[in-house]
Structures are given as C-alpha cells and as structure tokens.
C-alpha cells in the first residue's frame, strides 16, 4: 500500500517507565520504516496555538491523554488512543481507534488508521495479476461499464439506475461495512494496467455467522483464471489476516460457471437458502 501518512506525533501524559520504553522502541521502528516521529513532552506543543505545521494534514497523533485525544478528535484530526493501567479513568469516547500499550504498533497499522480517518481506501491484498482495494465512489464509471453487459446481471443484482443512489450506497457501505467489520466486497484492479476489472471480497449476509465470498470479473477479462486467482487470495486473507475458520458462498443452481469455480476452490454444498423467492445453493469451505 502506498504510504500517505508522513508524520506521527506522540504525547504520553502518564510517566510510566514500561510504556516509555515501548514508545521509544516503537519510535525507532517507525523511523526505520521512513516515518517522521515527534515525541512531545509538553502538552502545549501538541495542542497550543503554535502546534500547527504545514504537514498537519498528514499527521497521526498518538496519546494516552483522554482529554487531548478528545480535543484532537473534535478538530477532525487523526488520533490513536493508547490505553494502559495508568489511564483507566480517562474517557476516549470520541476516538475511533484505541490500542493497549505501544509494543505492537507498526507503520502499516498506523497507515490504515490514518486512511480510515481521511476516508482513503485500504489496499487489501495483491495476487499475481491483480490488486484488491476498498471501493470508492470514483469507481462508479468502471462499475457501470462492467454491469452494462447482460451476462453480468443474469445471476447478480444490478446497480441502481440512478448513479447518485449508487454513490450514496457506496459511501454508506464504506462507513458501515469497512468501518465496522474491516472487510467487505472490494474493487479488483488488473495490476498490469491499473484498470478496474471487477469486484470481489467477503460480505455478511443477515442471519448468518459465516462471512460470504462474492466475486465478479467483467466479461472482457473472463477466461483467464483471474476469478480463481482472486478468490484464492481472498480465502488466504480470510484465514491469515481475519482469522476466519469457515467461509460460505451462495449461488443459483443454474449458475454452472460459479458452481464449477466454487467446487474448484474447495467449497462443499450444505443445503439451500431462499431469498425473495430465489432458491440458492449454499456452500461452505473450512479454511
């Protein structure tokens, strides 16, 4: 993932020696990965009238002070709260991200926290030929081009006819699905050209505990094995990064191409599911 975050500003209010050592080690590790790290001793340096810098929009603040974190959050700044034994009484209610201690804080994690605050997409995984990243409203033109082929919507719900409704749906999906679960259906890009060729990922169907695999590769790019490659990558990610033990899939029995791919991926039929008078075959894979 191309790094957007440039600077990390740290203010630790409680003078805890163990935490101080963790912060020092974290700072050195982050610097080795190319991040600028500032360790402030004085609260006024972080929140006073002279604290603003030309790089403010690319800064992530780390602090164990609930009051400071709340003030930064109110100012729409990206802030990560650090919890430990000494600040149990502090309130971090307005802060979106919290960690216990600082020993496991890495640059990739901070980049993702920062991107979530800024509304920027996460790059999820990379396969031999493709990149999967979170969907953005800017993907709409490519999606409408892909869905214009009748073969795509034969077994799949179409996009909204009104593009503004689809744009609003994506914005809501980004906030509710990506923001809450940390995963979802992502945009698939062809690595060689950067063009959007489909969508794939993991979704949560109401009434089910297992995440559901979903995939679509546009007609011009079908027949190259890309759907299998992308799905294999997603299943590996589901186990390794998300720690899922099972993934389900739903498809209409007439959709022979999808059934063939799911069988190839190791899914086994476990019954049927009816939704809006459509009968789906349910398949399950143990990871």
């Amino acid at each position: 993932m191309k790094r957007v975050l440039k600077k990390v500003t740290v203010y630790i209010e409680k003078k805890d020696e163990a935490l101080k050592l963790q912060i020092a080690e974290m700072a050195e590790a982050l610097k080795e990965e190319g991040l600028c790290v500032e360790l402030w001793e004085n609260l006024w340096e972080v929140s006073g009238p002279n604290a603003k810098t030309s790089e403010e929009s690319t800064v992530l603040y780390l602090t164990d002070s609930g009051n400071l974190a709340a003030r930064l959050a109110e100012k729409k700044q990206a802030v990560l709260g650090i919890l430990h034994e000494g600040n149990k009484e502090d309130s971090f209610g307005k802060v979106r991200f919290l960690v216990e201690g600082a020993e496991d804080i890495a640059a990739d994690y901070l980049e993702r926290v920062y991107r979530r605050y800024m509304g920027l997409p996460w790059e999820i995984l990379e396969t031999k030929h493709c990149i999967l990243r979170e969907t953005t409203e800017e993907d709409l033109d490519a999606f409408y081009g892909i869905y214009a082929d009748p073969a795509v919507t034969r077994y799949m719900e179409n996009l909204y006819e009104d593009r503004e409704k689809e744009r609003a749906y994506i914005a809501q999906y980004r906030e509710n699905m990506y923001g809450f679960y940390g995963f979802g259906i992502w945009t698939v890009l062809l690595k060689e050209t950067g063009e959007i060729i489909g969508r794939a990922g993991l979704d949560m169907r109401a009434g089910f505990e297992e995440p559901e695999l979903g995939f679509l590769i546009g007609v011009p790019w079908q027949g190259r094995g890309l759907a299998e490659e992308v799905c294999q990558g997603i299943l590996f990610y589901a186990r390794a990064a998300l720690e899922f033990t099972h993934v389900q899939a739903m498809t209409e029995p007439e959709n022979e191409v999808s059934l063939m791919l799911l069988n190839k991926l190791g899914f086994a039929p476990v019954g049927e599911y009816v939704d809006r008078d459509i009968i789906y075959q349910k398949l399950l894979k143990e990871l």
Side-chain angles (χ1 to χ4, degrees):
M1 186 182 336
K2 184 179 179 181
R3 184 173 296 160
V4 179
L5 177 64
K6 302 298 183 183
K7 182 193 292 186
V8 176
T9 297
V10 185
Y11 171 72
I12 301 300
E13 186 173 57
K14 308 299 188 296
K15 306 307 178 184
D16 179 274
E17 288 303 318
L19 181 61
K20 184 178 180 181
L21 179 60
Q22 289 179 10
I23 293 294
E25 293 175 346
M26 176 203 72
E28 288 303 313
L30 295 179
K31 289 176 182 177
E32 288 179 4
E33 295 197 54
L35 279 174
C36 174
V37 182
E38 295 179 332
L39 303 178
W40 294 120
E41 297 290 338
N42 190 322
L43 181 62
W44 193 250
E45 292 177 305
V46 185
S47 60
N50 298 321
K52 184 176 180 180
T53 71
S54 60
E55 296 181 313
E56 188 175 41
S57 62
T58 56
V59 174
L60 174 64
Y61 294 92
L62 276 63
T63 183
D64 67 338
S65 168
N67 289 332
L68 174 60
R71 291 206 300 272
L72 290 169
E74 287 175 355
K75 294 179 179 179
K76 308 300 182 184
Q77 296 297 309
V79 55
L80 175 66
I82 301 176
L83 303 178
H84 54 78
E85 288 295 324
N87 66 353
K88 286 185 176 181
E89 302 303 319
D90 284 21
S91 173
F92 289 85
K94 297 181 179 181
V95 178
R96 295 172 62 185
F97 295 92
L98 300 168
V99 293
E100 288 199 24
E103 58 185 348
D104 295 323
I105 297 178
D108 285 348
Y109 173 71
L110 296 182
E111 175 69 25
R112 290 195 168 200
V113 169
Y114 178 78
R115 281 177 171 266
R116 192 62 82 218
Y117 271 107
M118 297 296 110
L120 300 173
W122 289 3
E123 186 174 300
I124 304 301
L125 63 94
E126 186 174 318
T127 67
K128 183 178 180 180
H129 299 100
C130 299
I131 294 172
L132 276 73
R133 63 155 170 77
E134 292 180 340
T135 295
T136 70
E137 292 87 331
E138 287 72 28
D139 299 341
L140 274 179
D141 286 345
F143 286 168
Y144 275 96
I146 290 171
Y147 279 75
D149 193 308
V152 169
T153 53
R154 182 179 178 186
Y155 297 110
M156 185 169 294
E157 188 174 359
N158 207 339
L159 304 174
Y160 284 107
E161 185 175 349
D162 184 340
R163 292 198 179 205
E164 290 310 308
K165 286 185 178 180
E166 189 67 32
R167 188 183 305 278
Y169 171 78
I170 289 176
Q172 186 179 50
Y173 189 88
R174 287 175 54 79
E175 180 178 352
N176 296 338
M177 193 68 192
Y178 296 156
F180 183 78
Y181 288 102
F183 62 88
I185 299 297
W186 302 302
T187 295
V188 182
L189 300 94
L190 193 64
K191 193 186 300 183
E192 182 180 1
T193 62
E195 60 191 322
I196 293 173
I197 65 169
R199 311 169 84 176
L202 300 165
D203 215 341
M204 294 301 299
R205 187 183 290 262
F208 291 89
E209 295 183 359
E210 301 91 356
E212 182 174 334
L213 177 67
F215 53 90
L216 161 65
I217 298 297
V219 173
W221 303 276
Q222 292 178 7
R224 306 185 196 179
L226 295 175
E228 180 182 356
E229 176 184 315
V230 165
C231 288
Q232 289 284 17
I234 292 169
L235 294 173
F236 177 81
Y237 183 84
R239 178 61 179 173
L242 302 175
E243 299 183 343
F244 289 129
T245 58
H246 294 81
V247 172
Q248 71 173 5
M250 301 281 189
T251 187
E252 294 178 51
E254 297 81 13
N255 191 348
E256 296 179 358
V257 175
S258 288
L259 279 174
M260 187 180 305
L261 175 55
L262 291 170
N263 289 330
K264 196 172 183 181
L265 292 169
F267 283 81
V270 292
E272 293 182 343
Y273 170 70
V274 180
D275 183 24
R276 290 174 291 184
D277 297 326
I278 300 176
I279 300 175
Y280 294 92
Q281 185 170 343
K282 178 183 176 182
L283 302 96
L284 193 67
K285 177 178 173 64
E286 182 175 354
L287 301 179

